[in-house]
């Protein structure tokens, strides 16, 4: 496995699958690597904690970082190249992708999807992948990136991988590390409420009603094109968690 730290050193190749990550790799990322590996001749994983997508400075500072562990993790999954740049924004950087439809998640996190869309377009231009792999867990991200690729005619296929969960149902997230045992127990109310509401005629109201004790930032139905999901965000202590479950269609 090659570790590349500058754009100049990164080679492009046909049949490349790209998995963009911010590191702190877990089984959710593993599922993305495996999907990319199964469909690509060459797998590039990017590892970059993108400051532009953090709407809270404390969240950026607290973001877990362990590069040597991440490199071992990626190598074990057959990743060919890890692109881990120190910096992706040149001095004087002044051009952004500004998505205009970012749903409830975008409303709750001003500027977040501008940072996400901009870094993803940069990565697509640098790596030139045929496919790029994203997790269902960040459903609004999928919707935003799919729309950007369509609107700006970016030649990449966006592939979506179903959410990987702990056995108790909590969606894996790098931010779960910050939950105390008591908070983790309360956090389980999120997947439980979404799961129990999914079959209801009015899933948004049903999820709100069963989120006992957790105050949602929002609960909404989100259209991913091939699928509709019931999505919500809650805050447990100082940690913000998002999750969603399939309502209809297919994740792909
Ligand atoms: P991150 O490193 O948190 O920016 O996530 C990198 C990619 O992994 C994103 O496309 C996420 O949607 C995806 N991802 C994060 N958590 C999960 C999960 N539990 N299951 C599937 N994909 C995930």
């Amino acid at each position: 496995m090659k570790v590349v730290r500058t754009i100049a050193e990164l080679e492009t190749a046909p049949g490349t699958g790209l998995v963009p990550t911010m590191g702190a790799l877990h089984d959710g990322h593993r599922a993305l690597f495996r999907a990319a590996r199964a469909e690509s001749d060459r797998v590039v994983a990017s590892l970059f904690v993108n400051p532009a997508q953090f709407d809270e400075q404390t969240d950026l500072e607290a973001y877990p970082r362990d590069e040597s562990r991440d490199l071992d993790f990626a190598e074990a999954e057959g990743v060919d190249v890890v692109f881990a740049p120190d910096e992706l924004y040149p001095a004087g950087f002044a051009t952004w992708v500004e998505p205009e439809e970012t749903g409830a998640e975008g409303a709750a996190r001003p500027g977040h999807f501008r940072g996400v869309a901009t870094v993803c377009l940069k990565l697509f231009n640098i790596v030139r992948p045929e496919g790029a792999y994203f997790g269902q867990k960040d459903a609004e991200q999928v919707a935003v990136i799919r729309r950007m690729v369509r609107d700006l005619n970016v030649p990449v296929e966006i592939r979506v991988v179903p959410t990987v969960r702990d056995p108790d149902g909590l969606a894996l997230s790098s931010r779960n590390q910050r939950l105390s045992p008591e908070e983790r127990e309360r956090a389980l109310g999120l997947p439980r409420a979404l799961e129990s509401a999914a079959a209801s005629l009015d899933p948004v109201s049903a999820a709100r009603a069963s989120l006992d004790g957790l105050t949602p930032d929002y609960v909404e139905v989100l259209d991913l094109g091939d699928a509709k999901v019931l999505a919500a965000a809650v805050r447990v202590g100082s940690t913000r968690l998002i999750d969603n479950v399939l309502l209809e269609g297919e994740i792909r």
Side-chain angles (χ1 to χ4, degrees):
M1 187 181 78
K2 216 168 146 180
V3 181
V4 173
R5 300 206 180 267
T6 63
I7 296 166
E9 284 170 284
L10 189 79
E11 289 166 8
T12 61
T16 294
L18 169 67
V19 182
T21 84
M22 298 204 298
L25 301 178
H26 53 62
D27 283 352
H29 301 104
R30 196 191 306 279
L32 269 57
F33 293 153
R34 289 188 178 176
R37 184 72 279 165
E39 297 177 355
S40 320
D41 299 328
R42 172 179 179 254
V43 176
V44 176
S46 63
L47 214 156
F48 180 64
V49 181
N50 175 32
Q53 73 187 68
F54 283 82
D55 47 320
E56 292 175 19
Q57 187 66 25
T58 47
D59 189 29
L60 173 61
E61 282 159 13
Y63 205 81
R65 291 170 172 85
D66 189 346
E67 196 193 80
S68 65
R69 181 191 159 276
D70 287 344
L71 294 179
D72 291 345
F73 189 110
E75 183 154 38
E77 288 306 324
V79 169
D80 297 297
V81 178
V82 169
F83 177 50
D86 294 326
E87 189 48 270
L88 272 183
Y89 299 92
F93 183 88
T95 309
W96 297 91
V97 179
E98 187 76 71
E100 291 187 348
E101 291 201 18
T102 57
E105 180 67 10
R109 303 188 66 188
H112 171 66
F113 286 112
R114 162 175 132 138
V116 168
T118 302
V119 82
C120 285
L121 184 59
K122 285 168 73 68
L123 289 169
F124 296 162
N125 286 333
I126 294 164
V127 177
R128 313 251 164 152
E130 262 165 43
Y133 294 77
F134 291 87
Q136 175 197 345
K137 195 195 69 106
D138 297 276
E140 190 71 60
Q141 171 166 283
V142 167
V144 165
I145 298 299
R146 281 220 162 124
R147 200 176 297 113
M148 173 184 79
V149 160
R150 185 202 63 186
D151 290 353
L152 301 181
N153 308 95
V154 186
V156 61
E157 190 182 336
I158 303 304
R159 308 279 283 126
V160 185
V161 175
T163 303
V164 177
R165 299 175 182 281
D166 268 333
D168 60 11
L170 191 67
L172 295 183
S173 163
S174 313
R175 292 186 176 87
N176 292 356
Q177 298 180 20
R178 296 187 208 156
L179 298 170
S180 70
E182 180 269 331
E183 287 173 336
R184 200 178 184 294
E185 192 55 38
R186 279 201 292 138
L188 288 176
L190 175 59
R192 284 178 186 154
L194 292 173
E195 198 53 57
S196 71
S200 154
L201 283 179
D202 180 356
V204 170
S205 304
R208 279 189 177 278
S210 52
L211 267 171
D212 48 6
L214 294 171
T215 313
D217 270 3
Y218 63 83
V219 181
E220 69 167 355
V221 174
L222 198 65
D223 195 342
L224 300 182
D226 300 320
K228 281 195 174 130
V229 298
L230 176 64
V234 298
R235 212 171 263 277
V236 182
S238 60
T239 307
R240 187 170 181 278
L241 299 173
I242 62 172
D243 199 355
N244 70 84
V245 296
L246 186 66
L247 289 180
E248 58 181 69
E250 206 185 329
I251 300 296
R252 56 178 181 191

